């Protein structure tokens, strides 16, 4: 198996991105979405991303094995230098460092673009994601109790923050 490479996502990656995401919609709390993402919705999501909010993929042996994105944290203009990251790795490719590669690339791109802060919104039971972000310098800045309800239980969200361009 060849090493994974990171590259910008393309329109033809959307089915793989959607398949990776939808797998987790139905089995865990790494997303609070409860219904599968449609391809139409995924295409609209991709169209809203661009130079300031890139989508990237990890490719291995010609196959997309993970993806990441930077999204606006909030629609109001004063938040324009703050982004939220998303990182998803195919369930069959976890434990190979692909999540770390994707997160590092997102951090590098966010700095190059000129973003000031990255935020991660993580379910408190997702210890792997919490540890991944902590390894890259994210600090816990908030814990929201019972703000989500999925799989017949209340869920907590932990907010983590990375200052990209300390001012």
């Amino acid at each position: 198996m060849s090493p994974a490479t990171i590259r910008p996502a393309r329109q033809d990656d959307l089915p793989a991105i959607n398949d990776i995401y939808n797998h987790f919609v139905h089995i865990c709390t790494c997303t609070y979405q409860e219904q599968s993402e449609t391809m139409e919705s995924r295409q609209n999501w991709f169209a809203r991303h661009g130079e300031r909010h890139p989508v990237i993929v990890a490719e291995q042996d010609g196959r997309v094995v993970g993806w990441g994105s930077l999204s606006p944290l909030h629609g109001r203009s004063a938040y324009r230098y703050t982004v939220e990251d998303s990182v998803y790795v195919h369930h069959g490719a976890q434990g190979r460092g692909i999540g770390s590669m994707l997160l590092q690339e997102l951090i590098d791109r966010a700095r190059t673009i000129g973003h000031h802060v990255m935020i991660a919104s993580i379910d408190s039971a997702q210890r792997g994601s919490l540890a991944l972000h902590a390894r890259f310098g994210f600090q816990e800045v908030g814990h929201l109790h019972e703000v989500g309800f999925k799989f017949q239980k209340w869920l907590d969200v932990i907010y983590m923050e990375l200052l990209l361009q300390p001012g």
Side-chain angles (χ1 to χ4, degrees):
M1 183 174 297
S2 63
T5 58
I6 306 296
R7 62 168 174 78
R10 303 181 302 246
Q11 187 78 24
D12 63 342
D13 295 321
L14 295 181
I17 288 171
N18 218 33
D19 288 347
I20 291 167
Y21 181 79
N22 282 337
H23 171 81
F24 294 107
V25 167
H26 300 289
I27 67 155
C28 77
T29 58
C30 62
T31 175
Y32 282 14
Q33 187 162 329
E34 296 179 282
Q35 301 297 320
S36 292
E37 188 79 15
T38 66
M39 275 308 298
E40 179 181 359
S41 180
R42 180 62 64 197
Q43 289 165 343
N44 291 335
W45 167 87
F46 189 67
R48 289 190 305 271
H49 286 75
E51 285 185 30
R52 291 196 52 77
H53 301 101
V55 178
I56 59 173
V57 296
E59 187 175 58
Q60 190 169 39
D61 297 324
R63 188 172 145 248
V64 172
V65 293
W67 65 272
S69 66
L70 295 177
S71 299
L73 178 68
H74 198 286
R76 294 206 165 73
S77 64
Y79 289 98
R80 68 188 169 276
Y81 297 108
T82 302
V83 290
E84 183 175 18
D85 75 89
S86 295
V87 173
Y88 287 88
V89 177
H90 187 279
H91 62 279
Q94 292 180 338
R96 298 185 208 160
I98 293 168
S100 293
M101 291 174 63
L102 287 164
L103 186 54
Q104 182 65 66
E105 182 68 18
L106 289 173
I107 292 168
D108 293 346
R109 285 174 183 256
R111 283 189 172 121
T112 299
I113 291 165
H115 291 300
H116 187 67
V117 175
M118 277 179 74
I119 300 292
S121 173
I122 304 169
D123 178 75
S124 64
Q126 297 301 315
R127 296 292 171 206
S129 186
L130 292 166
L132 171 67
H133 284 79
R135 279 196 311 274
F136 282 88
F138 284 73
Q139 301 290 315
E140 184 176 329
V141 293
H143 188 134
L144 304 178
H145 298 272
E146 298 184 2
V147 294
F149 188 79
K150 186 175 179 180
F151 303 134
Q152 301 302 309
K153 64 182 177 180
W154 290 107
L155 307 171
D156 291 3
V157 171
I158 294 176
Y159 278 95
M160 298 183 82
E161 169 188 73
L162 178 66
L163 292 176
L164 298 163
Q165 321 272 348

